Amino acid sequence: MKITEHIAQAKGKTLFSFEIIPPQKGKNIQELYNNIDPLMEFKPPFIDVTTSREEYIYIDKGGLLDRKTTRMRPGTVGICAAIKHKYNVDTVPHVLCGGFTKEETEYLLVDCHYLGIENVMALRGDAMKHEQYFKSTNGGHTFATELVSQIQNLNAGKYLHDVIDVDDKADFCIGVAGYPEKHLEAPSLQTDLKRLKQKVDAGADYVVTQMFFDNKKYFEFVAAARKEGIMVPIIPGIKPIAVKRHLQLLPQVFKIDLPEELIKEVEKCKDNKAVRQVGVAYCIQQSKELLKAGVPVLHYYSMGKSDNIKAVAQGVF
Ligand code: FAD
C-alpha cells in the first residue's frame, strides 16, 4: 500500500515508522531482524531502508595501493523485499542520484515494481566520503527533482529511450527529503523551500524531514511550506541522542542546532548509558508534542539499533 494511503486510512491517528541501515556486506541479516523484531509490536505500516554511497577502498598490492570503488552496505532493494516478505509490512527503498546512472536507476525501479514495492524515497545522496561537494555520476541525475521526474515517467509508462510498447505501468508513491533547518548547501531556507516545491511539482507525494530536536523548527517549516504551496504530508523524522559525541557530530554532519536544555542534560551525563536515557526521555517529550499537533507519522532514525527507539515508542504509543 502507498504511504499516502496508509496516512489516509489512519484518519488522523499518528502512525509509527522507522528507518534502518543495511548491514555491511559480509554480515548476517539476522542482526537486522533482531533490531526490527522488538519494534513490530508498534505496528509500523512501513519501514525505510537507506542506501549508502559507494566509496573508495585501497588494497595494498606489495607496497602499491590499488584503488577500488565499492558499496559497503549494498542490497537495499533485496533487504526491502526480505523484510516485506518476513513481516508483511511495506518497505521503502531509498533511491539515490549519486552513484547511479539513469539506466541503473531504471533497472532498480523495475526490480521494485516486480517485487511489489510501491513506495520509494527519491534522494540526491550525499557527497562521497573523499569529496567536499556532491558530484553527479556520469549519466546520472544532479538533483532529486530529476529523479522524481524519472520515477513519474515510469508511472506514466515512459521508460528511458522510449524503446518499447508498454502494457504494465508502475505506480510508485514518491517520498522526498525536506529540511526544517535548511539543506546544508542551500543559500537560504526560502530557496530550499522553492526547491522542495519543485520536487513536489515534479510528482513527490510526501516529504520526510531531516532530523530536528526543536519542534518549533518543524512547525515553522510546515507553515512556510504550506505558504509556498506544498500541500503533501510532511512527516517529521526524529532521533534520540545516543552518545555524547552526537553533540558535535549531528550539528557537523547535518547542520542542525541542538536546544540548550538538551545539551545541558547530555553534558551532565557520566557515561553513554546515561546519555541514552536522556536521549530517550527527550525524544519521548518531543514525540508527544508532535503527536498532540497531529503529525501523520512519527518516523524514527534507528541508525541500526532498536533498543532506544523501542523505549521511545513505549513512552509514546
Ligand atoms: P536535492 O533535493 O536535490 O537538494 C540538494 C541541494 O540542491 C539542496 O541544497 C537544494 O536546495 C539544492 N537544489 C535542488 N534543486 C536545485 C536546482 N535545480 N538548482 C540549484 N540547486 C538545487 N542520503 C543517502 O546517501 N542515503 C540515504 O538513504 C538517505 N536518506 C535520507 C532520508 C531522509 C529523510 C533525508 C532527509 C535525507 C537522506 N539522505 C540520504 C541525505 C540526502 O541524500 C542529503 O541530504 C543530500 O545532500 C540531499 O539530498 P536531497 O534529496 O534533499 O537533494
Side-chain angles (χ1 to χ4, degrees):
M1 207 159 107
K2 293 180 176 182
I3 304 304
T4 45
E5 291 168 344
H6 281 296
I7 291 172
Q9 212 177 65
K11 295 195 169 74
K13 186 172 168 273
T14 301
L15 302 167
F16 163 82
S17 73
F18 59 96
E19 172 186 296
I20 53 144
I21 302 170
Q24 284 207 336
K25 61 180 172 184
K27 301 283 178 203
N28 198 298
I29 197 170
Q30 188 55 47
E31 199 191 322
L32 190 61
Y33 294 151
N34 293 346
N35 277 294
I36 295 175
D37 286 343
L39 299 178
M40 293 316 287
E41 68 174 275
F42 304 102
K43 303 202 171 10
F46 64 93
I47 298 172
D48 273 53
V49 183
T50 64
T51 295
S52 61
R53 282 299 308 265
E54 73 281 24
E55 56 190 89
Y56 290 152
I57 51 163
Y58 295 89
I59 296 156
D60 191 347
K61 292 241 164 121
L64 280 177
L65 289 181
D66 190 11
R67 192 177 81 183
K68 300 278 182 206
T69 307
T70 191
R71 212 173 282 277
M72 293 307 285
R73 294 175 185 273
T76 299
V77 171
I79 289 168
C80 280
I83 295 173
K84 188 174 158 58
H85 179 69
K86 183 172 165 64
Y87 297 99
N88 191 22
V89 63
D90 279 309
T91 46
V92 187
H94 290 192
V95 182
L96 302 185
C97 302
F100 295 89
T101 64
K102 292 172 202 170
E103 291 285 351
E104 287 163 341
T105 298
E106 185 170 278
Y107 304 152
L108 185 146
L109 291 167
V110 167
D111 282 345
C112 289
H113 180 49
Y114 288 153
L115 288 163
I117 293 168
E118 294 176 79
N119 303 280
V120 291
M121 262 307 269
L123 299 148
R124 188 196 70 177
D126 281 320
M128 282 175 76
K129 272 186 191 154
H130 68 281
E131 287 173 350
Q132 204 174 357
Y133 302 105
F134 175 87
K135 285 199 199 98
S136 55
T137 300
N138 238 338
H141 298 297
T142 307
F143 296 111
T145 319
E146 299 161 17
L147 178 55
V148 173
S149 296
Q150 183 181 3
I151 302 166
Q152 277 300 1
N153 280 343
L154 269 192
N155 283 350
K158 197 170 171 338
Y159 287 70
L160 293 173
H161 321 308
D162 274 332
V163 285
I164 43 158
D165 288 333
V166 175
D167 61 8
D168 179 39
K169 292 179 190 168
D171 188 17
F172 291 111
C173 173
I174 307 169
V176 289
Y179 302 84
E181 296 175 68
K182 99 173 175 65
H183 182 256
L184 54 106
E185 293 161 29
S188 73
L189 188 55
Q190 201 52 42
T191 309
D192 206 25
L193 269 172
K194 286 193 192 323
R195 303 303 185 196
L196 180 58
K197 174 76 163 54
Q198 286 170 358
K199 291 195 272 194
V200 173
D201 288 346
D205 297 290
Y206 68 100
V207 175
V208 182
T209 75
Q210 182 57 276
M211 68 181 75
F212 57 89
F213 291 86
D214 179 355
N215 286 346
K216 195 164 164 268
K217 302 248 167 80
Y218 168 81
F219 295 134
E220 287 172 358
F221 176 70
V222 174
R226 300 300 183 226
K227 219 167 144 196
E228 195 62 41
I230 299 165
M231 305 318 278
V232 297
I234 301 180
I235 298 174
I238 53 176
K239 169 191 157 49
I241 290 256
V243 289
K244 219 170 215 179
R245 217 169 100 71
H246 278 157
L247 289 188
Q248 286 77 41
L249 203 65
L250 300 178
Q252 189 196 338
V253 174
F254 301 111
K255 300 288 177 289
I256 52 170
D257 277 352
L258 300 181
E260 274 317 305
E261 50 170 312
L262 176 60
I263 299 170
K264 274 189 200 142
E265 287 304 310
V266 171
E267 279 177 343
K268 272 194 248 162
C269 293
K270 292 217 162 52
D271 54 27
N272 279 335
K273 192 170 167 229
V275 175
R276 261 181 124 67
Q277 281 167 358
V278 166
V280 165
Y282 187 88
C283 195
I284 290 177
Q285 184 195 320
Q286 202 188 348
S287 303
K288 280 185 172 167
E289 193 186 11
L290 289 165
L291 194 123
K292 210 168 150 203
V295 297
V297 184
L298 280 167
H299 185 72
Y300 294 94
Y301 294 108
S302 82
M303 306 290 190
K305 294 274 176 251
S306 63
D307 58 329
N308 53 354
I309 305 296
K310 178 168 178 160
V312 171
Q314 272 170 334
V316 178
F317 289 94

